[in-house]
Amino acid sequence: MYKPILIKKQKLEWSKSSTNFNPDQNLGQLILRILKISPESVTQISADTKVSVTCGDVVGIVAANTENLAPAVFACFLLGLPVNPLAPIMIESDIVHMFSKTKPKLILCDENCLKIVQML
């Protein structure tokens, strides 16, 4: 495992720096620890839309249960983002009704549900 290092500018020498982080933890554990320390911080900003997501923001999902779904849901859980999952076979009025109640800041969807989601 790599340990944190500090570059001394005057001498240009490498040396170990002191840290409060466990050098034996993996990247996922480090990210979770930082999120616990500062849950109010923005966790994601879209470069295209400038939408930012913060711990506690709801993420809506309208997707079939495929191999792509679990990683997205787990990522939301790890970032402290509650998930409002809906089945893509739901009728449009039910999707609109559910999302009007939970008010997701971000919606992930299958391509066949894109037109409904874009109307929200």
Side-chain angles (χ1 to χ4, degrees):
M1 192 75 177
Y2 295 103
K3 298 194 184 275
I5 55 172
L6 173 67
I7 300 175
K8 294 181 181 177
K9 291 184 181 180
Q10 289 87 11
K11 296 183 181 180
L12 296 175
E13 295 175 353
W14 293 89
S15 66
K16 294 180 183 178
S17 65
S18 63
T19 179
N20 291 330
F21 296 108
N22 178 356
D24 295 324
Q25 66 188 349
N26 64 40
L27 181 58
Q29 292 167 324
L30 174 63
I31 291 169
L32 287 176
R33 184 161 181 218
I34 291 171
L35 288 170
K36 287 179 184 176
I37 291 170
S38 57
E40 72 286 346
S41 297
V42 172
T43 57
Q44 176 71 41
I45 298 175
S46 169
D48 296 329
T49 64
K50 307 297 185 234
V51 172
S52 64
V53 182
T54 305
C55 185
D57 288 338
V58 175
V59 174
I61 298 179
V62 186
N65 189 10
T66 66
E67 70 278 2
N68 300 319
L69 183 59
V73 172
F74 295 158
C76 290
F77 291 160
L78 290 173
L79 293 171
L81 305 172
V83 175
N84 178 199
L86 302 177
I89 60 170
M90 291 178 72
I91 60 173
E92 180 180 334
S93 61
D94 287 343
I95 293 172
V96 171
H97 173 75
M98 289 298 295
F99 285 161
S100 73
K101 298 294 183 189
T102 60
K103 299 185 182 351
K105 192 158 187 185
L106 174 70
I107 300 174
L108 307 174
C109 71
D110 286 343
E111 187 175 6
N112 61 324
C113 300
L114 185 59
K115 288 181 183 176
I116 296 169
V117 169
Q118 286 176 327
M119 291 188 311
L120 299 173

